[in-house]
Amino acid sequence: MGTVKKNTRKLPGVLSYYSKSDYTTQQKARFIYHLCIAAMVGMVFLTFSSIYVQLNSIEYDGIFLPVIFAEISLLIFFGGCIFLLIKGKYGIASHLFMTVAMACVWYVMWMHGGNVITRLDTVVLIVALLNLTPLFITKYKITILLYILVNVVILIVFVQMVKGQINLSDASAVDYIVDTSIAILFSGVVGYNIFRINKQSLEKVEIENQQRKLAENALLQSELFRRSVFDSSITPIIVMDSTSFKYIDINPAAVKIYGFSSISDSLGKTPVDVSAPVQYDGTPSSQKAVSYIEKALEDGSVTFEWLHQRPDGEFWDAEVHLLSFQSNNETLLQFSLIDITERKKIESELRESELRYRLLFENAQIGIYRTTPEGKILQANPAIIKMLGFDSLDELNKRNLETEEAFVKSTRKEFIKRIEKNGFVKDFESEWNKKNNDILIIKENSRAVCDAEGKTLYYDGFVENITERKKIESDLKESELRYRTLFENAQIGIYQSTHEGKFLQANPALIKMLGFDSFEELSKRNSNEENAYVDLSRGKVIELFEKNGFIKDFESKWKRKNNEMIIIKENSRVVRNLEGKILYYEGFVENITERKLAEIALKESEEKYRTLMENMNDIVMMVDNEDKVLYVNERFSEKLGYSYNEIIGEIGYKKLLDPKDQEIIIKANQERTKNVISQYETTFIAKDGRNIDFLISGAPVKNSEGIIIGSIGNMIDITEKKKIEKELEKHRDHLEFLVKERTEELATSNEELLSTNEELHNQRDELEAVLKNLQNTQKQLVQAAKMASLGVLASGVAHEINNPLNFIKGGIFGLEQYFDENLKEHKNEVFPLIEGINIGVERAANIVTSLNHYSRRNDSNVSECDIHTIVDNCLEILRNQIHNRIDVKKTYTQTSHTLYGNEGKLHQAMLNILSNAVQAINDEGTINIKTSISVQKLTILVSDTGCGISDEDIPKIFDPFFTTKEPGQGTGLGLSITHNILEEHNGNIEFESNVGHGSSVKITLPLSKK
Amino acid sequence: MDEKVTLLYVDDEPINLRLFDLNFKKKFNVLTAESGAEGLEQLKGNPQIVVVISDMKMPGMSGIDFIRLAKKDFPHVRFFILTGFDITEEIADALNERLIHKYFRKPFNLKEIETSIQEFL
């Protein structure tokens, strides 16, 4: 078994099959392999040697085939053995080798023709082969007996066969057989036993070895496990010496939690190195640590909380489990740590939080309470106590909510109902009684707190005092109502409209203004689309809104529902939200149609009268009470040389009058303020310095309230007349001078003087008469001129009135036609109205016609006049004075009569006579007008039942300026002019009067020849 | 009457124009002008006008002035004056010259105007 020692020898490559087999098998396989190879080499050598021997030896006759054949067969068998061996059939290969080897031995012995002894001794090879058995046998141990038995049998047979050849006795043969058989048997048995003993001892060694290995492994595992647990544990664990308190072992978790850099860094540290200077109760850590360690040593273990500090200064909390244990007769301490920093923090936060809520509860503005369903107050914070006017919780606790006194209106039942149903109440409003019985309006949010069985334990709630808010709300509501009323009842239109032109709101005034029946109807109209604006697009209005954000006193024309136009004035603004987006427009609308139309009418009227004034031949001047010039017409500028702008605003008398003449104007102006119409003469100084004499007729000017604010004067240039007058004066003076001279001359001759004197007297009387006549003439001229200017005025006015009358007439005609054609059923009701308007127009037209006639200017023109028409015209003019007071009876001739004359003047004459008659009648009375014809003459008799004229006054009535009226009421020129006019027409006038009974005037005029 | 007579009414008062149109549009084809100048243009543009009625007092050109001008170009047209004034010399002269056929007074008498026009046609 020398090969066993060399256990490091490698297997030949071809035996790789056995690489995983046990060591013994490997060695056996290797041996068989080499044996086979050696046998094959030996066999080749043997074969060639046999061939050589057989060819050269004389014992053989050439090649002896049975030997050669056997040798070659053996060679092939050994090859087969190697093949089987390589294939892993070790057992079969080894048995095959054994069998072949034995068979070969026996074959040689059998077939060998040589010496018997030589042949018999070969049997030793069998014994030698049998010695191989321990090497071959692995399985089928019984085969060893088979080998022994077969060999013994073959031996016996062989000996029996050859004993004859060598003359061997039977006893010797038996002896040989027995000896050889014993050798074979012994070799086999010994070989087998060697094999068995070897195997058994090997197995034993193997088992022991395995057991030792297992024990070693177990030990190793246990130590690793303990270490691993220690190192990988997430629980920090430290082992400490019980005397020095130094750390002798520490796990990574502990290193980490302590904040050390490594295990080696941690070893040798003491508890003081990882602790805060003092513990929770203020004891220094070293002192405290000693006390805990003593306790652990005494009791075996102790658990406590410890405040640690890391090298970087951070504090942390841990629960420490400290225990003592014995190791190698040494007392050691081991402790584990649980980081409870978070827990501590939460605990502290919880404490703080509780404190905070406590504070909140105590200081909240909102009331917080807890009550039982039975109405007992468990908790109430100061806010609620204060809200209810109590001094303390104890005082409030006496109140039971189930009693009526707590609530103004009993809302408790409702509250209970809702909270029991839903588990909460939200925004529940109720009214509570305060301690002093004031009402407290509150809003509460409460919830029911139940126990596990669902039984309500108590109610928690928050109470908000909304008394003030409620009051504000109610005030607000009232205020809104007030504004709403204002909105509804305002006379002015108020609206809100969208940018798109839709009305959001419109008050009744606006709806009415626009002719709609309701807001709904109005809101259907879109201002943009339907072009509500007549004169401009709404776009223009929007543009103004965009530009300024408002419009102020904006005038525009709107369409009403019926498309009628109204003029409005609007004050509106844009309302925007915080982002600047337009929300709507809102504004006030005033209907100014009537005002506007009135303004326009006024402007037109003013323009007309201005034209009138400007076109007049006379000078017109208007001044205020201080004589400041307000207006002059063009004639003024022409006459006096001052332009309009030069004179306006000047004080009239200062600018235009010589200082000595100013007094008269001042006086006249003062008179005017007493509503006196006056006429006076004065001299104006023109711009170029000329003196111009004027006859001024001044009348007061009143404002709309009837207050006199100035005067208007009609000025007639009488310079020429004045000149004549002056010349006459001069003449007179001259004459007087002559008279004087003559008188002086004649003084020398008395007689001559007397006669001449008389003559001169006569002359002077004559001259005076002439002078008087001249003066008279001049005054009449003045009046005539005045009348003439009135005539211009009247005819202008007539035209202006006729136009509006035309509108009315045209309009009413149109209406009449319309009714006729379309609304016949209304005809009966409408026609009287139309008739009334027609009569009115007729009458107005008549008055205008009369004025026209009266003022007809064609002085020089003589035309055919109808005296009846003239009388009627005059009566028309006087209608308002006659009306309802005087009964006018007209007795005209059947036919009308014409006479040649100046129609205007005849009107003037008749009007004077008739107006005298009217004025003579104080209250009621009658005027009779009668016309008659006699010999180309027309007689008009006008008689009244007035006051009459006294006999002494009758001769004076035709004198100019004779009047019985109050100063300022009449000029005293009327009858004088009448007289003159009638004389001009070759007529005559006679007066008869009876004081208290009336007067009668008889006018005679020649009729025109046909 | 299958074709209405076209007449032109000249007046500086728009209301008068409107009323005139309203009242006569059934009987006549009424054209209007606010001034003499406009009246002349209307005449030029509407040869079918056969009757012209004009106000007397108008700014710029008086009714007679207008008619005098118009008569030159449109001798076949009949001219009338409708005035708020009483008859004036100017009107009397125009009547005498046959410049106008008649003068009407304001407030107008519609029947009178209508019959007068019918007469002259």
Side-chain angles (χ1 to χ4, degrees), chain A residues 333-349:
Chain A
L333 289 160
Q334 178 197 314
F335 55 91
S336 59
L337 303 169
I338 298 168
D339 188 349
I340 57 164
T341 315
E342 279 303 311
R343 197 179 78 199
K344 278 270 175 191
K345 208 165 122 196
I346 289 164
E347 270 174 17
S348 135
E349 272 169 13

Side-chain angles (χ1 to χ4, degrees), chain A residues 178-428:
Chain A
V178 171
D179 287 350
T180 305
S181 293
I182 288 168
I184 290 170
L185 189 67
F186 187 76
S187 287
V189 171
V190 170
Y192 175 76
N193 278 312
I194 291 170
F195 160 76
R196 218 185 51 183
I197 292 160
N198 251 345
K199 196 177 176 184
Q200 276 172 356
S201 64
L202 260 176
E203 276 172 359
K204 188 157 191 264
V205 168
E206 186 84 355
I207 287 162
E208 276 174 8
N209 202 9
Q210 269 177 4
Q211 276 173 350
R212 204 179 66 232
K213 256 188 191 164
L214 278 172
E216 273 173 10
N217 254 344
L219 195 68
L220 193 66
Q221 290 298 320
S222 149
E223 174 60 17
L224 275 175
F225 177 73
R226 205 192 64 82
R227 190 70 222 175
S228 161
V229 166
F230 181 76
D231 285 345
S232 64
S233 168
I234 54 161
T235 310
I237 305 167
I238 302 100
V239 182
M240 185 172 75
D241 186 72
S242 61
T243 49
S244 66
F245 296 166
K246 276 188 180 156
Y247 293 173
I248 54 175
D249 200 357
I250 184 162
N251 72 348
V255 171
K256 194 179 161 214
I257 205 165
Y258 279 142
F260 292 133
S261 53
S262 65
I263 293 177
S264 55
D265 184 35
S266 323
L267 295 176
K269 292 276 193 302
T270 61
V272 178
D273 296 326
V274 298
S275 303
V278 290
Q279 286 305 307
Y280 303 116
D281 56 1
T283 327
S285 290
S286 51
Q287 195 184 326
K288 194 87 176 173
V290 170
S291 76
Y292 279 127
I293 289 166
E294 277 170 1
K295 196 158 190 289
L297 291 171
E298 206 172 299
D299 299 348
S301 76
V302 63
T303 304
F304 54 91
E305 285 178 7
W306 193 255
L307 181 61
H308 291 74
Q309 192 176 17
R310 296 206 173 91
D312 62 6
E314 193 190 344
F315 290 96
W316 59 284
D317 305 278
E319 193 180 271
V320 182
H321 181 64
L322 180 65
L323 58 92
S324 61
F325 68 102
Q326 294 291 319
S327 172
N328 297 335
N329 295 325
E330 232 183 315
T331 305
L332 293 179
L333 289 160
Q334 178 197 314
F335 55 91
S336 59
L337 303 169
I338 298 168
D339 188 349
I340 57 164
T341 315
E342 279 303 311
R343 197 179 78 199
K344 278 270 175 191
K345 208 165 122 196
I346 289 164
E347 270 174 17
S348 135
E349 272 169 13
L350 207 65
R351 258 199 308 280
E352 263 173 47
S353 157
E354 202 191 312
L355 188 69
R356 217 162 37 235
Y357 281 112
R358 190 76 221 163
L359 279 171
L360 208 61
F361 179 77
E362 293 293 340
N363 299 325
Q365 288 302 305
I366 209 161
I368 306 171
Y369 69 78
R370 172 171 284 186
T371 63
T372 64
E374 292 75 38
K376 173 126 184 66
I377 297 163
L378 297 175
Q379 278 194 55
N381 73 340
I384 208 167
I385 293 165
K386 199 177 150 205
M387 220 182 268
L388 285 163
F390 286 95
D391 298 325
S392 67
L393 179 62
D394 294 339
E395 195 181 7
L396 178 63
N397 274 345
K398 284 171 197 146
R399 180 181 263 198
N400 188 320
L401 302 178
E402 286 294 304
T403 60
E404 293 294 313
E405 59 164 359
F407 302 97
V408 176
K409 290 177 202 151
S410 186
T411 49
R412 176 79 181 169
K413 273 186 189 128
E414 174 68 18
F415 174 82
I416 299 278
K417 201 176 113 195
R418 281 167 66 174
I419 203 164
E420 289 298 337
K421 190 182 163 208
N422 302 323
F424 63 89
V425 289
K426 193 163 155 38
D427 293 344
F428 185 82

Side-chain angles (χ1 to χ4, degrees), chain A residues 905-925:
Chain A
K905 286 186 176 175
L906 284 174
H907 268 96
Q908 197 176 355
M910 278 318 295
L911 187 67
N912 278 336
I913 291 179
L914 286 168
S915 93
N916 276 345
V918 168
Q919 282 163 10
I921 297 166
N922 282 332
D923 299 317
E924 290 186 348

Side-chain angles (χ1 to χ4, degrees), chain A residues 521-694:
Chain A
E521 198 185 356
L522 175 61
S523 66
K524 278 177 201 144
R525 166 154 126 176
N526 187 311
S527 304
N528 277 346
E529 281 167 18
E530 289 180 28
N531 199 12
Y533 289 86
V534 175
D535 51 345
L536 73 173
S537 69
R538 184 169 153 92
K540 171 98 181 162
V541 183
I542 301 277
E543 202 181 298
L544 282 171
F545 271 132
E546 298 283 323
K547 197 174 143 207
N548 304 325
F550 63 88
I551 51 174
K552 192 166 154 47
D553 291 343
F554 183 81
E555 287 181 14
S556 53
K557 291 175 184 168
W558 284 12
K559 262 188 206 161
R560 299 186 70 198
K561 182 190 170 191
N562 56 8
N563 280 335
E564 199 184 319
M565 185 202 78
I566 55 166
I567 305 170
I568 59 98
K569 188 161 82 179
E570 194 179 353
N571 281 296
S572 303
R573 68 188 189 95
V574 185
V575 179
R576 293 168 190 275
N577 67 6
L578 288 175
E579 285 89 49
K581 192 175 170 288
I582 295 171
L583 294 177
Y584 50 82
Y585 303 118
E586 64 176 19
F588 302 93
V589 178
E590 199 180 338
N591 186 350
I592 56 165
T593 314
E594 298 213 351
R595 196 199 303 162
K596 269 280 152 180
L597 291 178
E599 262 175 36
I600 292 163
L602 196 68
K603 214 177 260 174
E604 277 175 13
S605 157
E606 200 188 302
E607 191 50 45
K608 275 166 198 162
Y609 283 106
R610 184 177 292 274
T611 314
L612 206 62
M613 291 281 200
E614 292 298 344
N615 294 333
M616 266 174 77
N617 267 327
D618 288 349
I619 294 169
V620 177
M621 182 173 178
M622 200 161 102
V623 295
D624 69 6
N625 287 337
E626 274 72 49
D627 209 44
K628 199 198 267 171
V629 180
L630 300 175
Y631 171 78
V632 293
N633 66 354
E634 245 176 65
R635 296 282 293 142
F636 179 94
S637 300
E638 282 168 24
K639 207 80 177 176
L640 287 155
Y642 290 106
S643 72
Y644 183 82
N645 289 332
E646 277 174 325
I647 195 67
I648 293 302
E650 299 287 342
I651 301 298
Y653 57 80
K654 283 188 184 158
K655 184 96 176 174
L656 300 164
L657 262 64
D658 194 83
K660 68 180 162 52
D661 295 332
Q662 287 177 4
E663 197 59 34
I664 187 170
I665 299 278
I666 294 165
K667 213 179 131 196
N669 282 343
Q670 280 168 357
E671 290 259 297
R672 196 95 67 246
T673 58
K674 293 170 196 156
N675 202 7
V676 173
I677 300 167
S678 60
Q679 199 170 42
Y680 50 88
E681 286 175 15
T682 190
T683 309
F684 277 45
I685 302 161
K687 198 180 177 185
D688 56 14
R690 275 182 304 120
N691 282 359
I692 304 170
D693 295 313
F694 283 107

